[in-house]
């Protein structure tokens, strides 16, 4: 069996999602997985290759910012319509399927009716497999629409099964070929029954059992990693965060001591972070771990640096230098493991037929693979953050570790505006630990996306006991978010914040004033630099 055949045989029954560049394609994958079915997204230009590899049991065509009538707008591989498997087209996916099978799509401005954006109501005009056990003929249901163009003539074999004011072909079906098209978006939460409709498609139409789980994912990935790596050596940069930890533990399960983890202590870590990582990896998992004490190197380089970008650049470059040197010490490696997640992989798909994917690479060890001539091992590429957490639990990581708030690669340096010194890092570490302890004690940790303290380069006057103080200001920040792209301020009770402020000023020497950051993102960013 060659490598390609082997990988074919280990993939679970799956759904292929063809991405035409919609903002919400990732949500389709999510809903399908929530229905217990494995799915992968492929940009339309790579969909044929993905089809060959996955041998999916069904296909979903995504929405798109493109317009079907426009020249050069993307198409699905025509062969998909002859593959004999069910297809669901969503919004643009419905339109492109109609067009490719002989129907007609017209731009909103031509039909003179404009589009439909937001909440809409459709009426079910005929029962169909997609609605099985859910919607019945004659019922009205709320959905979420976002389209200008619309199908004005469906393709031979199709019929209308639901209609709305703005989209006469709100849902079309060709039950014989098992092709379905929805003008609305079932993947978004604003379509209340959307998840169930997608579950109907994968279970009832495609006939998949829905028994896929994180345990199955773990087994599949372990086999894939073994296959990719062979008897090569893998090196993994641990940040102490959830993603790189889960990747490392999974890879270790697959290839044991062929994996070496490197943890760079740049002196910009949170209180006891290094010890926690050492205990977890060495004692709990028995994973070979190299801990590099590079505090001096980082601190001396950061002396006198106050510009946020200059700090970030220095830290990124030095991190790579240190990691590279350690990798050479252990005789190099053939592969670099990274905890890259799905949202980092497909940022956007070009729908003009140009280079098809923009890959965002904002990882701590970015730049290393080329420099060290290593291939990447990225076992979390298909997962969302909360799925990584579920996988972490599956691998035995304690809840407390799995649920940790994100922590940026440049660490405390971007939470200390102005010059970063060891003394300032030590002050910040203490204040931050108190703040987080209070949050945990109040049972609020899991309700918050990220909470941390910052140390301002400002001194103010205070009074403690009978004496005057002249010390630093500590800022507290806590936000809720789903992906870090936008964020809301966490609305603590005033008494909670007062309690934190009192403890910090009393227990942390060097701080005599505490303020709370009430800025959402945008206009602020989550970190202060
Ligand atoms: P901002 O400050 O841009 O942060 O609103 C959004 C999210 O990204 C994290 N962040 C980083 N993570 N390296 C990282 O690994 C970085 O350089 C970096 N900068 C910001 C930040 O903590 C938040 O979760």
């Amino acid at each position: 069996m060659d490598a390609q055949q082997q990988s074919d045989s280990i993939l679970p029954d799956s759904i292929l999602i063809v991405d035409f560049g919609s903002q919400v394609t990732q949500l389709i994958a999510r809903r399908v997985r929530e229905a217990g079915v494995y799915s992968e997204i492929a940009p339309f230009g790579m969909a044929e290759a993905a089809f060959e590899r996955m041998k999916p049991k069904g296909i979903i065509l995504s929405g798109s910012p493109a317009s079907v009538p426009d020249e050069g707008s993307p198409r699905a591989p025509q062969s998909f319509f002859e593959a004999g498997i069910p297809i669901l087209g969503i919004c643009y996916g419905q339109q492109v399927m109609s067009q490719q099978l002989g129907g007609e799509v017209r731009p909103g401005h031509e039909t003179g009716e404009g589009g439909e954006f937001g909440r809409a109501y459709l009426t079910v005009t005929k029962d169909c497999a997609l609605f099985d056990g859910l919607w019945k003929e004659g019922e009205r249901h709320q959905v979420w629409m976002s389209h200008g163009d619309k199908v004005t003539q469906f393709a031979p074999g199709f019929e209308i099964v639901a209609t709305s004011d703005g989209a006469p072909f709100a849902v079309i079906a060709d039950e014989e070929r098992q092709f379905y098209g929805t003008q609305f978006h079932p993947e978004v939460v604003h379509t209340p029954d959307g998840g169930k409709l997608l579950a109907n498609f994968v279970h009832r139409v495609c006939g998949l059992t829905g028994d896929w789980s994180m345990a199955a994912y773990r087994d599949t990935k372990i086999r894939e990693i073994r296959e990719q790596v062979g008897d090569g050596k893998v090196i993994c940069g641990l940040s102490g965060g959830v993603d790189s930890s889960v990747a490392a533990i999974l890879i270790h399960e697959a290839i044991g001591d062929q994996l070496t983890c490197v943890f760079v202590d740049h002196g910009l870590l949170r209180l006891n972070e290094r010890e926690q990582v050492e205990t977890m990896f060495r004692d709990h998992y028995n994973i070979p771990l190299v801990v590099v004490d590079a505090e001096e190197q980082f601190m001396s380089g950061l002396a006198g640096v106050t510009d946020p970008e200059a700090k970030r650049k220095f830290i990124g470059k030095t991190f790579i230098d240190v990691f590279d040197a350690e990798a050479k010490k252990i005789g190099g490696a053939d592969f670099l493991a990274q905890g890259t997640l799905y949202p980092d992989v497909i940022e956007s798909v070009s729908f003009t037929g140009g280079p098809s994917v923009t890959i965002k690479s904002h990882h701590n060890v970015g730049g290393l693979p080329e420099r060290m001539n290593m291939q990447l091992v990225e076992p979390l590429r298909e997962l969302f953050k909360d799925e990584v957490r579920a996988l972490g639990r599956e691998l035995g990581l304690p809840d407390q570790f799995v649920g940790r708030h994100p922590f940026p690669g440049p660490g405390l340096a971007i939470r200390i505006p102005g010059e970063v010194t060891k003394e300032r890092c030590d002050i910040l570490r203490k204040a931050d630990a108190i703040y987080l302890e209070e949050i945990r004690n109040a049972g609020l940790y899991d309700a918050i996306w990220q909470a941390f303290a910052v140390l301002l380069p400002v001194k103010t006057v205070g009074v403690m006991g009978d004496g005057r103080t002249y010390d630093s200001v500590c800022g507290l920040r806590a936000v809720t978010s789903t992906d870090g792209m936008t964020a809301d301020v966490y609305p603590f009770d005033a008494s909670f914040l007062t309690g934190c402020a009192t403890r910090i000023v009393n227990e942390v020497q060097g701080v005599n004033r505490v303020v709370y950051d009430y800025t959402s993102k945008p206009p602020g960013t989550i970190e202060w630099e």
Side-chain angles (χ1 to χ4, degrees):
M1 225 197 285
D2 66 18
Q4 183 59 46
Q5 282 169 326
Q6 273 182 34
S7 71
D8 288 346
S9 63
I10 58 174
L11 275 177
D13 282 345
S14 62
I15 297 288
L16 169 62
I17 298 163
V18 181
D19 184 21
F20 293 115
S22 156
Q23 296 291 313
V24 287
T25 303
Q26 294 175 22
L27 292 177
I28 307 174
R30 243 211 109 87
R31 300 285 167 259
V32 172
R33 286 197 214 141
E34 279 167 4
V37 170
Y38 181 73
S39 72
E40 282 188 33
I41 300 177
F44 68 91
M46 300 177 189
E48 272 180 299
F51 185 93
E52 284 306 311
R53 182 173 56 80
M54 292 166 63
K55 308 227 181 324
K57 297 284 188 288
I59 294 171
I60 300 178
L61 307 174
S62 86
S64 175
S67 175
V68 170
D70 283 355
E71 211 181 306
S73 58
R75 295 288 177 266
Q78 196 70 29
S79 59
F80 284 9
F81 301 109
E82 277 118 49
I85 59 172
I87 299 180
L88 170 65
I90 296 174
C91 196
Y92 182 91
Q94 181 212 39
Q95 297 166 5
V96 87
M97 176 165 65
S98 298
Q99 174 91 15
Q100 289 188 247
L101 293 176
E104 184 190 63
V105 179
R106 288 176 63 196
H109 63 82
E110 267 185 29
T111 58
E113 292 166 6
E116 270 178 307
F117 298 93
R119 248 169 261 280
Y121 287 87
L122 53 71
T123 305
V124 178
T125 52
K126 194 167 188 295
D127 291 335
C128 89
L130 208 56
F131 306 153
D132 240 9
L134 196 61
W135 291 356
K136 288 201 179 62
E137 192 180 330
E139 288 179 356
R140 254 167 85 77
H141 292 282
Q142 192 234 296
V143 296
W144 193 77
M145 298 267 194
S146 179
H147 68 106
D149 305 344
K150 66 182 71 161
V151 176
T152 46
Q153 175 60 55
F154 51 75
F158 281 85
E159 59 185 339
I160 298 171
V161 292
T163 182
S164 75
D165 290 344
F169 306 154
V171 186
I172 52 173
D174 175 342
E175 295 267 30
E176 201 176 310
R177 286 187 288 182
Q178 295 185 296
F179 292 168
Y180 300 87
T182 67
Q183 185 53 71
F184 65 90
H185 286 269
E187 69 274 35
V188 303
V189 290
H190 311 293
T191 297
D193 285 336
K196 291 181 192 151
L197 286 170
L198 285 166
N200 260 359
F201 177 70
V202 299
H203 295 156
R204 298 185 189 222
V205 178
C206 301
L208 299 174
T209 50
D211 59 359
W212 181 83
S213 63
M214 267 304 154
Y217 186 86
R218 162 189 171 164
D219 295 345
T220 304
K221 283 292 151 188
I222 285 175
R223 286 198 294 263
E224 274 182 13
I225 293 163
R226 285 186 186 143
E227 199 177 285
Q228 183 190 2
V229 169
D231 54 9
K233 282 206 286 182
V234 181
I235 194 164
C236 179
L238 281 183
S239 67
V242 182
D243 307 341
S244 61
S245 301
V246 171
I249 292 164
L250 182 68
I251 293 168
H252 188 253
E253 274 210 12
I255 57 164
D257 290 355
Q258 285 166 255
L259 170 74
T260 303
C261 292
V262 177
F263 180 68
V264 179
D265 180 353
H266 45 26
L268 304 163
L269 300 168
R270 290 168 287 192
L271 195 70
N272 301 328
E273 188 148 32
R274 172 172 167 174
E275 293 73 16
Q276 282 166 10
V277 170
E278 284 184 316
T279 310
M280 173 84 71
F281 281 82
R282 286 214 183 108
D283 303 347
H284 192 65
Y285 284 101
N286 206 14
I287 297 178
L289 176 67
V290 177
V291 176
V292 193
D293 189 345
E295 185 174 23
E296 177 48 38
Q297 190 174 344
F298 278 87
M299 286 305 158
S300 57
L302 283 169
V305 182
T306 55
D307 176 66
E309 275 311 297
K311 278 185 198 173
R312 279 176 174 274
K313 287 203 176 106
F314 167 77
I315 293 167
K317 182 190 163 303
T318 310
F319 193 96
I320 290 179
D321 289 344
V322 172
F323 192 90
D324 191 10
E326 288 308 312
K328 286 198 176 110
K329 276 191 212 160
I330 59 165
D334 313 290
F335 297 90
L336 176 73
Q338 297 201 135
T340 315
L341 302 194
Y342 185 76
D344 305 334
V345 179
I346 296 187
E347 197 180 17
S348 67
V349 176
S350 157
F351 50 82
T352 53
S356 53
V357 205
T358 311
I359 305 218
K360 188 169 65 174
S361 179
H362 62 85
H363 204 265
N364 283 342
V365 286
L368 262 179
E370 301 78 37
R371 182 153 139 187
M372 293 174 63
N373 198 20
M374 292 186 288
Q375 289 178 51
L376 288 176
V377 182
E378 295 180 314
L380 313 180
R381 280 176 77 86
E382 291 100 26
L383 301 185
F384 296 89
K385 187 92 184 175
D386 58 333
E387 290 176 313
V388 169
R389 291 189 162 133
L391 179 60
R393 286 189 198 97
E394 185 63 42
L395 291 162
L397 268 171
D399 271 348
Q400 225 200 347
F401 195 89
V402 167
R404 288 177 94 183
H405 291 173
F407 187 63
L412 300 184
I414 56 173
R415 295 176 179 176
I416 301 178
E419 188 182 14
V420 179
T421 62
K422 176 164 168 37
E423 188 198 355
R424 298 181 71 76
C425 287
D426 285 339
I427 292 175
L428 180 56
R429 264 188 278 272
K430 285 185 198 145
D432 188 68
I434 292 170
Y435 180 44
L436 285 171
E437 186 179 299
E438 288 293 316
I439 288 174
R440 282 209 159 90
N441 289 346
L444 300 174
Y445 189 85
D446 292 337
I448 294 170
W449 164 267
Q450 217 170 348
F452 54 88
V454 294
L455 189 68
L456 306 194
V458 177
K459 286 193 168 193
T460 67
V461 173
V463 54
M464 282 180 92
D466 289 331
R468 175 188 193 269
T469 59
Y470 187 55
D471 278 325
S472 295
V473 180
C474 170
L476 302 181
R477 182 125 174 89
V479 293
T480 56
S481 177
T482 49
D483 52 14
M485 303 298 288
T486 57
D488 284 319
V489 177
Y490 188 80
F492 288 120
D493 287 346
S495 62
F496 173 85
L497 288 172
T498 318
C500 290
T502 306
R503 266 198 73 190
I504 290 170
V505 171
N506 284 343
E507 295 175 38
V508 183
Q509 214 174 357
V511 174
N512 69 348
R513 191 177 295 268
V514 175
V515 296
Y516 188 60
D517 179 353
Y518 268 106
T519 322
S520 61
K521 174 183 179 176
T525 53
I526 296 177
E527 303 291 344
W528 275 41
E529 287 192 335

